[in-house]
Amino acid sequence: MKRSHHCGELSLTHVNQTVTLAGWVASRRDHGGVIFIDIRDRYGLTQIVFDSEENAPLHAIADRLRNEYVIAITGKVSERPEESHNPHLPTGSIEIRAHELDVLNESIPLPFTAEDDVQTSESLRLEYRYLDLRRPKMQQLLQLRSQVSHLTRNFLHEHQFLEIETPILTKSTPEGARDYLVPSRVSPGEFFALPQSPQLFKQILMIGGMDRYFQIARCFRDEDLRLDRQPEFTQIDLEMSFVDREDIIQLIETLIRLIFKETKQIEFPNPLPRLTYEEAMGRYGTDKPDLRFDLPLQDLSEFAKSCDFQVFRRAIESGGMVKSLIIPNGAAFTRNRIDNLIDTAKEFGAKGLAWVKISEDGKLDSSIAKFLNTEALRAALPSANPGDLLLFVADQARVVHQVLGRLRLLLGEELELIDRTRWEALWVVDFPMFEYDDTSQRHVALHHPFTAPHTEDIPLLDSEPLHAKTLAYDLVLNGFELGGGSIRIHSPRMQEKVFDLLKISKEEAKEKFGFLLNALESGAPPHGGIALGLDRLIMLLGQTESIRDTIPFPKTQKAQCLMTHAPSSVSPEQLQELSIRTTTKKPAAS
RNA sequence: GGGGCCGUCGUUCAGCCAGGUUAGGACGCCAGAUUGUCAAUCUGGAAGUCGCGGGUUCAAAUCCCGUCGGCCCCGCCA
């Protein structure tokens, strides 16, 4: 019994045809003389009718069906009685009057049903992922993921890209995230690392003359998990030779437009807006601003310079700044709510959070009101209105931006300022090359150490390296970093200089990146590229709340797979073969 | 490494603050009834080591300590 149709396609146009469907029993409604079975597959649901008057032996078999049994049925497509059409179901105008039933497999009673509105814990869903995957929502998300991969592959092939695989067993890289290590049996005591990204290999491919490379690449990072972070994740990774920043931005905008249009009929402005890193940080306190709502940070440093409030003045005098958020209608906040905001600001790293309510008559209501000149403040914040609440942070720029940026997001959520129907994509460009890391007392690369500086900023590398900007670019959507890339360094002298500034010694550079430095000496073309997070892209496109919903077999926050129970201990023999001894107390598996 | 929330029949929750007879509801499951349901309905039934360990107490799901697991966040994620 081979199926002739799937469970989502039959309609009134098929009436009187004899069809065969196969799928899972989604529900059974037993009315005695007649039994209704909903049969489900990836495509939909169809109602099957077993009538004891039409076929008593078949009805008796149907009586034994239970949820999630796998069945095949043959029968005639019939229009339902007029009052029994189900408008909620695409196939709701028809039903199959069965005359053959094949029970292909039975099922034990299961912990939850394969319905979208099933209320169950995520750990149970992960343990029984095969059931969870039967739910229409999960099926749609994986279909969406497949569709996006397909569109991407087609698009890039049309643009002369070669799809090339890079190694999964590779060399541990020193900077950046923690590596997943894989012991080598034939080289006792030595380890491969799983790639955090194909970065170095794709640069080598450019030097190898491949010109345009892409890969839908699995990447691994042994860091703690979050809502939008998994230890293994997938990137749409690409690299191009003989291009500049504009070429790559153009290409990716075209791809993103195609994906959003084809899958969700979402249109973006052309070109996408851009903010420099400095603008993004200054206005939104983050390098991945959510532009679905405004609520910008307001610079009050000029006002603060001459005001009587010492906290503000001192912040300016010690090279810091004062910025403010104007919370519309926030004057109605209770003292308790404001106290909670102050605590939150402290958790975010602020020393304090000053606040001012502007009452309906324009007067200031605040514990620091006596230090503030009302006219000067209103002049400094022309967009503040009576009824608003002003929140101030005075500190070094990094703290001010971090605290107010996060308060902006928090209040945007709480006050429901975020328009969930909007899609706001933008590029953030001109990232600084380095930032100074206080703990290690050295410069660290903001992007990665292979990122090329702006040509006009090259002299700054010697004089003021912290002011040098790079040819890096991040694509941001609704406050999530969708991807980032850069034009790379192709000059071996420049690469050495950057390693030097990062305090990576010649020996270390040679030992870790010798192959890259050699390759750069061997005729490296100018090149650049980008990597887009596929899982996050699907999460946003599919409007699901967690990256785990876009990955068929994700890990929990402890980086474990609840279905297979990986990771797990291994036999002493396996360890011995790998020259490994563990120091944990957990006994090895026998 | 740190902070928060959670853990009770197969599932999802109530009960815990204020300890006390037989731990309760809904869904699911099992049996019976039922010829137009699509959250089917009706009747009956089974089902729990209250995550685990220890402590306090005459008595612990309930209070205390520890521990394990799940989720969210900070740190971390070039």
Side-chain angles (χ1 to χ4, degrees), chain A residues 385-446:
Chain A
N385 294 310
D388 291 348
L389 169 71
L390 312 178
L391 300 174
F392 307 87
V393 175
D395 211 310
Q396 296 302 307
R398 201 177 52 81
V399 177
V400 170
H401 289 152
Q402 152 134 325
V403 173
L404 287 180
R406 289 174 59 179
L407 280 179
R408 172 181 177 268
L409 277 182
L410 185 79
L411 288 162
E413 293 266 352
E414 283 184 11
L415 301 173
E416 292 175 9
L417 301 177
I418 300 174
D419 181 348
R420 306 272 169 196
T421 65
R422 273 170 72 177
W423 294 84
E424 293 294 336
L426 76 149
W427 292 98
V428 178
V429 297
D430 296 344
F431 285 77
M433 190 118 180
F434 307 105
E435 59 187 357
Y436 194 74
D437 180 42
D438 292 326
T439 27
S440 60
Q441 304 257 308
R442 62 185 185 109
H443 295 116
V444 292
L446 201 72

Side-chain angles (χ1 to χ4, degrees), chain A residues 357-368:
Chain A
K357 287 177 177 177
I358 307 179
S359 55
E360 292 304 334
D361 58 12
K363 292 217 176 73
L364 303 186
D365 170 14
S366 159
S367 52
I368 61 164

Side-chain angles (χ1 to χ4, degrees), chain A residues 166-171 173 179-180 193-199 201 218-221 231 233:
Chain A
T166 53
I168 295 295
L169 294 176
T170 180
K171 192 177 167 69
T173 51
D179 285 320
Y180 274 99
L194 304 182
Q196 297 182 23
S197 91
Q199 180 62 33
F201 286 102
R218 194 66 60 84
C219 304
F220 304 86
R221 290 177 193 177
F233 59 99

Side-chain angles (χ1 to χ4, degrees), chain A residues 474-491:
Chain A
D474 274 6
L475 180 61
V476 176
L477 176 63
N478 293 355
F480 284 89
E481 184 193 327
L482 256 195
S486 62
I487 298 300
R488 324 296 183 189
I489 294 167
H490 67 280
S491 143

